[in-house]
């Protein structure tokens, strides 16, 4: 399965996010999450969850308030948690863990050595340490995410990507160009449609 439209209501995929009877929340769409205009914030539940060694399930995170009070579409407010919920919606729609979905739909077709955990990189020794932060010292990253059931991933997609500068540049050229790239046989492959590119290049906030 796939997500039909970014204008789908979030409740279609994540009913537990909108359990409370609140008409404002019922209007919330994936587009609101992607443009940081959902009213979802990095609230107490989210901040408490990411400080733990083993991340709790989304059901647990949602037991605390994660809404600003703004109506969807009313105000821009950057939210890591909001982007994480897009990952959960993708998992619910596809039945595939987000990191595997990203690999099969994005990284592999583009020929990128990239992933959302150090476990997913072909050559982990190529991962750089940033000052005192050495991702390889964290050990098996899969263990930290082990309590998050399939369909409830609320992390990773907010910016935990491991990739090289060269591979990141390839993504940049696709986004800034005509949506195509050269594959390993020097054949041009259309990855994004013109319609998708136009939407991505249109200011939405």
């Amino acid at each position: 399965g796939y997500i039909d439209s970014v204008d789908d209501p979030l409740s279609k995929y994540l009913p537990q996010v909108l359990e409370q009877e609140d008409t404002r929340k019922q209007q919330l769409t994936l587009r609101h999450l992607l443009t940081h205009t959902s009213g979802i914030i990095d609230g107490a539940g989210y901040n408490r969850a990411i400080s733990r060694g083993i991340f709790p399930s989304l059901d647990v995170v949602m037991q605390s308030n994660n809404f600003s009070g703004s109506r969807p579409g009313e105000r821009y407010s950057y939210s890591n948690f909001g982007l994480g919920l897009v990952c959960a919606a993708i998992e619910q729609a596809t039945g595939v863990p987000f990191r595997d979905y990203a690999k099969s739909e994005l990284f592999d077709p583009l020929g990128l050595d990239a992933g959302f955990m150090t476990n997913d990189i072909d050559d982990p020794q190529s991962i750089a340490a940033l000052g005192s932060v050495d991702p390889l010292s964290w050990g098996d990253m899969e263990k930290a995410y082990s309590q998050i059931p399939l369909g409830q991933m609320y992390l990773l997609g907010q910016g935990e990507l491991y990739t090289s500068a060269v591979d990141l540049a390839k993504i940049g050229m696709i986004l800034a160009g005509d949506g195509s790239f050269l594959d390993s046989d020097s054949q041009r492959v259309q990855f994004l449609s013109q319609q998708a590119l136009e939407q991505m290049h249109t200011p939405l906030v």
Side-chain angles (χ1 to χ4, degrees):
Y2 289 89
I3 286 176
D4 296 321
S5 168
V6 294
D7 292 310
D8 281 346
L10 185 59
S11 57
K12 178 177 178 180
Y13 305 102
L14 302 175
Q16 75 266 48
V17 175
L18 306 166
E19 284 177 349
Q20 302 168 22
E21 291 295 326
D22 187 330
T23 55
R24 293 176 303 177
K25 296 175 186 177
Q26 298 302 325
Q27 299 165 0
L28 203 163
T29 68
L30 293 168
R31 188 183 296 273
H32 289 132
L33 294 175
L34 290 165
T35 57
H36 300 277
T37 58
S38 65
I40 287 177
I41 58 174
D42 298 346
Y46 177 80
N47 286 321
R48 197 161 41 239
I50 63 174
S51 67
R52 295 169 59 175
I54 302 291
F55 303 119
S57 68
L58 177 59
D59 291 333
V60 171
V61 180
M62 292 310 301
Q63 290 173 13
S64 299
N65 184 39
N66 296 282
F67 291 87
S68 68
S70 297
R71 294 179 181 277
E74 184 176 74
R75 188 167 68 90
Y76 173 89
S77 181
Y78 183 87
S79 172
N80 287 312
F81 187 37
L83 264 293
L85 290 177
V86 173
C87 300
I90 288 173
E91 287 195 352
Q92 285 284 0
T94 64
V96 176
F98 174 72
R99 59 189 282 228
D100 295 338
Y101 178 84
K103 178 175 171 57
S104 66
E105 298 298 319
L106 179 63
F107 306 143
D108 285 352
L110 293 177
L112 309 182
D113 181 16
F116 286 100
M117 298 185 196
T118 54
N119 310 60
D120 299 331
I121 301 302
D122 291 340
D123 179 13
Q125 296 305 316
S126 68
I127 297 174
L130 302 175
S132 62
V133 180
D134 180 7
L136 292 184
S137 71
W138 300 337
D140 184 0
M141 291 182 69
E142 291 176 307
K143 182 179 179 182
Y145 297 88
S146 61
Q147 298 301 307
I148 303 179
L150 178 66
Q152 293 197 31
M153 176 56 70
Y154 56 92
L155 298 166
L156 303 181
Q158 84 280 10
E160 295 188 32
L161 180 64
Y162 294 90
T163 188
S164 69
V166 170
D167 285 348
L168 188 61
K170 181 182 286 188
I171 295 174
M173 287 188 286
I174 291 170
L175 294 175
D178 63 359
S180 69
F181 70 98
L182 291 176
D183 66 12
S184 57
D185 298 321
S186 296
Q187 299 296 310
R188 187 154 293 282
V189 177
Q190 194 68 35
F191 188 73
L192 293 175
S193 69
Q194 202 60 43
Q195 181 184 16
L197 271 179
E198 286 175 6
Q199 283 194 48
M200 297 171 84
H201 291 169
T202 301
L204 297 172
V205 177

